[in-house]
Amino acid sequence: MRRPDQQTTTRPTTGPAPGTGTGTDADATVGPPPGKAEEQDRHPTGTGPTAEGHPAGDLTTEAVLAPYLRGQAADFLRSLRLHHEHSAPAESGGHDAAAATRALRRAARRISGSLHTFRAALDPHWADQLRAELAWLSGVLAREHAYANRLTRLVEALHQLSGPALPAARGARAAGEAAASDAQGRAALGVGAARAGALLERRLTLARTRSHSAALQALGSSRFHAVADAVALLASDVPLAPGTTGRTAEALLEPAERAEQRLLTAVAALPPADSEPYNEAQDAAWHQARLLLRLHRYAHEVVLGAAAPSLASCGHALDLHRDAVEAAAAAAAAARTPRIAPATAYALGVLHADQRHEVEAARAVFRETWPYATALTAP
Amino acid sequence: MRRPDQQTTTRPTTGPAPGTGTGTDADATVGPPPGKAEEQDRHPTGTGPTAEGHPAGDLTTEAVLAPYLRGQAADFLRSLRLHHEHSAPAESGGHDAAAATRALRRAARRISGSLHTFRAALDPHWADQLRAELAWLSGVLAREHAYANRLTRLVEALHQLSGPALPAARGARAAGEAAASDAQGRAALGVGAARAGALLERRLTLARTRSHSAALQALGSSRFHAVADAVALLASDVPLAPGTTGRTAEALLEPAERAEQRLLTAVAALPPADSEPYNEAQDAAWHQARLLLRLHRYAHEVVLGAAAPSLASCGHALDLHRDAVEAAAAAAAAARTPRIAPATAYALGVLHADQRHEVEAARAVFRETWPYATALTAP
């Protein structure tokens, strides 16, 4: 992330970076003063409570994007400091460290997303490099969180699937036979469910522990220090695209609209609902829609200064979709453990199917809550 | 089913049976003339095309119920003859024999249902006995059909669950990992699915063969001959309740309304939809609703001379519900086979879960197609 003609330093510099742009009347703001840190959380552009929205004529990189990026960079750095504070060996601040990690990821995603969407308004080489490195960092930090969530989800699902003991069927003669064998089925599931839960616990806890170590290692690596340096530089100085690109009015509107259009196109292309519950082939399209929705939301934050309220439910449904897809895969993978008992494999099969149906349910929620007139292929 | 003062005979008698009733101006019809057999299929009361409905004043046993029962009895006997014709060893009439069996069961259910619903208008002792024997017969005949359907259903489900090969995920980086392990998961399911299919085929074919033998044995037993005799008697002469019961106007309306009310009450008591897919404890209530719906439909046929059109979809959904419940139980039972491979057990677990979700789907269809204002507990 080393920029031409700049030394690497962790102290924010003031004024426009040399060699970037023509030195016009850019607002050379230096980032928010320390006292405005909290306001920054509420106003992602980082320019404080006066920036409720942006008149179209001000949608230039300097007026809007640069403050946003600087604000996110400051969030990143603050979260990093908090993480250091709560990760000291004497500290039992598991929660605080986790919260700091979440905030770190949150800022990293927003910087990364903006570098992608508004690349044309920025120094492209620098943007590509920083984006790649932030993607690496986000992945490393997210993995531990993902394994923890996955285990919780699967254990909870197994618990529900094992269920309370089946009450004796009364009266319905035709159901008597079926009920009796269902009770046996439920009991068999109970034995296998306990073993399946233990197996998943072992596997996912191991994976989580490894991810935790990898995250700590990453945060201490020189690669990470380079990222932190680059973000620190970003906190005071945003490398703009050479020439006049991005300095014109509405320079940001076009990329934001493209981001929205990519999202709408991807959603319109989502496979329709069908009765076939085993459609892992469709997962990729839904993952893509989730990423594009995120990019659109971030672009919305940049350009309009606030989150897009109507997309909260959709986004949440896509997150649940992703969680269920991964949980189903984890159950299937566990079933391939050599020498497990048939009852354990049976329970994992039930669990896999259950999570695939959660995948379908999440898709249905998405279709119901998708607010735009884009014709979702009718089920 | 031997009635007082009557000889057992397989030939229909004419005129009112001695000792039954007071010899009033009952329409001593002898059952439909041979040429009207086809019309009887379309007009279940058996009184021919002039009985489109019944003015309330004619809802007496003699005017309506007796012709209906005689018509169903004639259907039963005709189906029995057809079954004999197509079951000869030289005959490869599997289809025709199966069709005759279906017709036999159809008539048996209607006679049985009417004996239950309109018991107050009939000789109660006779009605109870014949109903019990018809239930035995229906059960024996239905079992082979049920096993055949169950195998078809499960094999088809396994085929869908194994699915086509998963295409390589393109582009969606985040999905790559999940897609790869899903492909492995799908492959593992493929191996296990084949074995599970083979196991289910063995078990259900064995059960079907045994049921077929049991059915043939039953149809040659003296117990069955007694049932056939009783139905033959019924074809010419319906034992009515002693005294004036059933001879008054609207004597059938009250039992029919009670049957409808029992159905409405049972449906109103059905558990609401919830997200818990493993709710075998609720199956009994749904089986009961299915039986009550059938009784209501038959009563409707008797009293109104035609099927209730608005309940076709509901009834079908309840049939599918029953099929899915039994299929799920069959998968669970197969998984308890000693020494099966984990992959086989896994596939059976997936199959069980899949069929339980079909159970939920059938319940949902029922709720959607239930036409009455009875408040189904809102999901």
Side-chain angles (χ1 to χ4, degrees), chain A residues 161 175 186 278 280 287 342 345 350, chain B residues 161 175 186 278 280 287 342 345 350:
Chain A
L161 292 171
R186 183 69 70 95
Y278 272 69
E280 283 107 329
H287 288 314
V350 169
Chain B
L161 292 171
R186 182 67 73 94
Y278 272 69
E280 282 107 328
H287 288 314
V350 169

Side-chain angles (χ1 to χ4, degrees), chain A residues 298-364:
Chain A
Y298 295 164
H300 197 282
E301 275 180 25
V302 171
V303 166
L304 293 176
S310 62
L311 294 174
S313 306
C314 292
H316 184 59
L318 291 177
D319 288 344
L320 291 181
H321 177 273
R322 189 271 315 262
D323 292 347
V325 164
E326 294 183 338
R336 292 192 291 278
T337 307
R339 296 180 302 282
I340 55 174
T344 313
Y346 178 83
L348 290 170
V350 169
L351 188 57
H352 175 89
D354 179 70
Q355 288 303 302
R356 284 309 303 183
H357 279 275
E358 289 294 307
V359 168
E360 280 312 300
R363 291 176 185 176

Side-chain angles (χ1 to χ4, degrees), chain A residues 108-205:
Chain A
R109 286 197 305 267
R110 278 164 173 74
I111 297 171
S112 193
S114 300
L115 294 181
H116 174 84
T117 302
F118 300 106
R119 184 181 182 273
L122 303 163
D123 180 314
H125 182 64
W126 162 83
D128 289 346
Q129 271 204 294
L130 181 54
R131 183 159 57 90
E133 290 303 287
L134 286 172
W136 159 75
L137 178 66
S138 292
V140 167
L141 294 180
R143 219 156 279 140
E144 175 183 359
H145 174 76
Y147 286 125
N149 273 8
R150 202 167 305 162
L151 178 59
T152 300
R153 171 184 265 268
L154 287 171
V155 165
E156 176 60 30
L158 273 176
H159 182 76
Q160 279 196 12
L161 292 171
S162 309
L166 188 66
R170 285 184 289 277
R173 223 176 356 139
E177 231 177 59
S181 62
D182 276 344
Q184 290 179 291
R186 183 69 70 95
L189 183 64
V191 167
R195 289 182 180 176
L199 175 64
L200 288 166
E201 179 115 20
R202 276 199 305 279
R203 291 169 61 93
L204 290 171
T205 301

Side-chain angles (χ1 to χ4, degrees), chain B residues 81-176:
Chain B
R81 277 197 305 278
L82 286 168
H83 191 275
H84 282 152
E85 285 170 22
H86 295 291
S87 297
E91 190 88 23
S92 65
H95 280 291
D96 294 326
T101 306
R102 272 198 305 276
L104 200 61
R105 289 168 49 216
R106 192 180 185 275
R109 285 196 307 266
R110 279 166 173 73
I111 297 171
S112 193
S114 301
L115 296 181
H116 174 84
T117 302
F118 301 106
R119 184 180 181 275
L122 303 163
D123 180 315
H125 181 64
W126 162 84
D128 289 346
Q129 272 203 293
L130 181 55
R131 183 160 55 91
E133 291 302 288
L134 285 172
W136 160 76
L137 178 66
S138 292
V140 168
L141 295 180
R143 218 155 280 141
E144 175 184 359
H145 173 75
Y147 285 126
N149 273 10
R150 202 167 304 162
L151 179 59
T152 301
R153 170 182 266 266
L154 288 170
V155 166
E156 176 60 31
L158 272 175
H159 182 75
Q160 278 194 13
L161 292 171
S162 308
L166 189 66
R170 287 184 287 277
R173 218 174 0 138

